Amino acid sequence: MNKITTAKEALSHVKDGDTVMVGGFLQCGSPEYLLSEFVGHPARNLTIVNNDMGIPTSSLTKILDAGQVSDLICTYIAQNEAAQRMYKENPACLHINPQGTLTERIRCGGFGIAAFYTPTGVGTVVEEGKEVREFNGKKYLMETALRGNVGIIRASVVDEFGNCYMKGTSKNYNAAIATACDYVVVEADELVPVGAIDPDLVTVSGIYINAIVVAPKEDK
């Protein structure tokens, strides 16, 4: 099965109303080339799951400005004025999660765990509308798992089967998102033959990857 394709073909799997998970922490590990190709995509009413929704110069900001997105699931939007405008126009569009909680919701989505309990957010606005239980005298919130229709991630080196090596902190959300989406597109900084990546260095197995898009050199 040939997984190597174009950005246009890979992103054609995004449909109206989809939940799209996007890797990256600010610009670290952000699949910027794929996002730049996603600007102007015909799909609308999308839910974007991302740590921070990018910075003013990132393509994710352009996607929000283009009106392609209706809901944001993230940890903060302090550096993205487009996300802030969306929130001011429709406060219900923003779903803020503590950072560890968002990561764990995605991880649980990838491993078939329906929900989990965490002390993070107890006694704050994060608690509103959630089940609270007590374990060993301490209160915990129940948080549900999170899955996406399409995942857009980035890896430093990818082989032709889709095995990914993600360098350092670029793993951030990229590794978790790969397991938690129905269709996963990886932006590869470098494409190598199968077997070229030391098995001990494989961050994400190719079984989770549906499409590989090699980023042009200027976007790496």
Side-chain angles (χ1 to χ4, degrees):
M1 177 182 176
N2 183 16
K3 299 182 181 181
I4 304 167
T5 187
T6 64
K8 182 178 180 180
E9 169 58 29
L11 295 172
S12 69
H13 289 263
V14 181
K15 308 299 182 188
D16 286 352
D18 275 356
T19 294
V20 180
M21 292 189 173
V22 179
F25 188 113
L26 294 174
Q27 295 308 95
C28 180
S30 176
E32 186 60 26
Y33 172 64
L34 283 171
L35 292 175
S36 69
E37 293 294 302
F38 194 64
V39 177
H41 191 284
R44 291 295 184 271
N45 298 316
L46 301 173
T47 296
I48 296 292
V49 180
N50 177 257
N51 178 66
D52 47 69
M53 296 299 151
I55 61 176
T57 57
S58 66
S59 293
L60 195 49
T61 298
K62 296 176 184 177
I63 292 168
L64 301 187
D65 275 332
Q68 297 168 242
V69 180
S70 59
D71 287 273
L72 309 172
I73 300 177
C74 56
T75 68
Y76 69 103
I77 56 171
Q79 298 195 53
N80 192 313
E81 292 183 359
Q84 293 171 28
R85 285 193 294 271
M86 286 182 62
Y87 170 68
K88 290 175 182 177
E89 293 171 4
N90 176 24
C93 79
L94 181 62
H95 309 273
I96 289 288
N97 293 247
Q99 208 160 70
T101 297
L102 181 59
T103 303
E104 185 65 4
R105 290 185 69 195
I106 296 169
R107 191 193 70 83
C108 286
F111 285 85
I113 301 169
F116 62 96
Y117 288 93
T118 174
T120 305
V122 171
T124 73
V125 292
V126 175
E127 181 182 315
E128 293 177 5
K130 295 174 182 175
E131 178 186 328
V132 180
R133 288 188 63 180
E134 190 171 301
F135 297 94
N136 299 318
K138 189 174 182 178
K139 291 183 178 180
Y140 292 78
L141 306 182
M142 188 183 80
E143 297 281 1
T144 55
L146 190 59
R147 284 192 59 84
N149 301 102
V150 177
I152 302 175
I153 64 174
R154 181 175 177 176
S156 303
V157 185
V158 182
D159 73 18
E160 293 171 341
F161 180 67
N163 294 309
C164 301
Y165 165 62
M166 297 171 181
K167 186 177 181 180
T169 55
S170 70
K171 296 180 182 71
N172 51 58
Y173 290 88
N174 286 303
I177 286 173
T179 68
C181 294
D182 301 328
Y183 188 89
V184 180
V185 186
V186 61
E187 175 181 316
D189 290 347
E190 180 183 357
L191 182 68
V192 297
V194 174
I197 302 175
D198 183 332
D200 288 337
L201 297 179
V202 172
T203 312
V204 172
S205 170
I207 62 173
Y208 294 110
I209 303 300
N210 301 97
I212 303 165
V213 177
V214 182
K217 290 184 179 181
E218 61 269 22
D219 291 288
K220 294 178 182 178

